[in-house]
């Protein structure tokens, strides 16, 4: 299996975290609507709880990341360590963008 380059992986991790957060929150809001609960409030709450899972899904699980960190720290391969850090930052940015879009759509953060 061919390994993809860093920049495509960087962009993929951003959009994967964005998609997990938006998709999970919106589909969960549909389920809330079908069960008679307030959908916008549920969408807002789910976006807050799905953030960490969106990041984990975007970086491809935690074991590969820990292995790369271990290799970077103990074998002196700082290039892999820096790449993993940037991939995690990209996934965090995607999750934060998704949460911001959900906040804009639901307006739950505005108190009346």
């Amino acid at each position: 299996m061919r390994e993809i380059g860093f920049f495509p992986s960087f962009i993929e991790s951003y959009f994967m975290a964005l998609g997990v957060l938006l998709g999970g929150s919106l589909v969960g809001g549909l389920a809330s609507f079908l069960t008679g609960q307030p959908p916008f409030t549920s969408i807002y709450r789910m976006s807050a709880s799905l953030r960490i899972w969106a990041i984990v899904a975007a970086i491809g699980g935690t074991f590969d990341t820990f292995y790369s960190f271990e290799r970077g720290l103990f074998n002196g391969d700082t290039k892999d360590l820096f790449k993993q850090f940037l991939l995690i930052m990209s996934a965090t940015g995607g999750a934060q963008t998704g949460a911001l879009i959900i906040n804009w759509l639901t307006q739950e953060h505005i108190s009346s």
Side-chain angles (χ1 to χ4, degrees):
M1 187 166 160
R2 186 177 165 181
E3 189 174 321
I4 60 172
F6 172 71
F7 287 113
S9 177
F10 183 77
I11 294 170
E12 282 179 3
S13 69
Y14 177 85
F15 284 105
M16 200 176 304
L18 178 70
V20 167
L21 193 81
L22 287 177
S25 297
L26 294 176
V27 170
L30 178 65
S32 296
F33 174 74
L34 293 175
T35 59
Q37 299 173 356
F40 286 142
T41 304
S42 297
I43 289 171
Y44 179 74
R45 287 182 186 153
M46 280 185 233
S47 73
S49 64
L50 281 176
R51 241 181 242 180
I52 188 69
W53 296 109
I55 294 168
V56 169
I59 61 174
T62 56
F63 292 117
D64 292 334
T65 304
F66 285 136
Y67 178 70
S68 294
F69 275 133
E70 178 190 15
R71 193 172 52 216
L73 288 175
F74 297 129
N75 294 343
D77 196 5
T78 57
K79 189 168 102 173
D80 283 339
L81 184 68
F82 187 67
K83 283 182 181 181
Q84 287 300 317
F85 177 74
L86 287 178
L87 287 175
I88 292 170
M89 288 289 98
S90 174
T92 304
Q96 185 65 26
T97 303
L100 186 64
I101 290 171
I102 293 295
N103 284 343
W104 286 343
L105 289 175
T106 61
Q107 299 291 313
E108 286 291 322
H109 61 284
I110 298 174
S111 62
S112 53

